[in-house]
Amino acid sequence: MIITISTSAGPITVSATEPVPGLHVYEIPSGISPNSPYRWVLTHHEGQALASFVSEQAAGTAAEKVAPLADWTRNAMTVANEVGPSGMSSLTALLVGIGGQHPNA
């Protein structure tokens, strides 16, 4: 699938996969953060980034691990409500524990 991402240089179109319904994985273009090894981004389908990873496989594995936490096909606010404030800490810990980094790292 083709999606448009927002960057400081403006919107950019990239190819993405949907390893889990409602979650997308894509590689950031080479001109963006060229020194970062975390090139693969896991996002909610509306575009909110969850974490960045060193490989597409790692990002896809992360999607599978977080899939049971919410219905990711719903809008971002509904997902946030499903996960809940305490669940957001658990989500972040889970993503970091499997190698994820802040998406702007």
Side-chain angles (χ1 to χ4, degrees):
M1 80 179 51
I2 302 297
I3 63 171
T4 301
I5 61 171
S6 297
T7 72
S8 58
I12 296 175
T13 301
V14 296
S15 179
T17 61
E18 189 173 41
V20 170
L23 293 175
H24 295 166
V25 170
Y26 63 86
E27 185 176 20
I28 59 173
S30 60
I32 298 173
S33 301
N35 296 324
S36 175
Y38 300 96
R39 313 283 321 148
W40 293 90
V41 184
L42 173 62
T43 69
H44 179 267
H45 67 92
E46 290 180 344
Q48 295 83 354
L50 301 176
S52 296
F53 296 86
V54 296
S55 70
E56 181 178 17
Q57 180 179 359
T61 298
E64 292 170 7
K65 298 239 184 227
V66 303
L69 300 178
D71 178 355
W72 298 96
T73 64
R74 310 275 313 260
N75 70 48
M77 184 59 73
T78 301
V79 169
N81 288 333
E82 283 184 34
V83 173
S86 62
M88 294 306 279
S89 297
S90 298
L91 173 61
T92 300
L94 174 63
L95 291 168
V96 169
I98 56 178
Q101 296 292 314
H102 188 280
N104 293 325

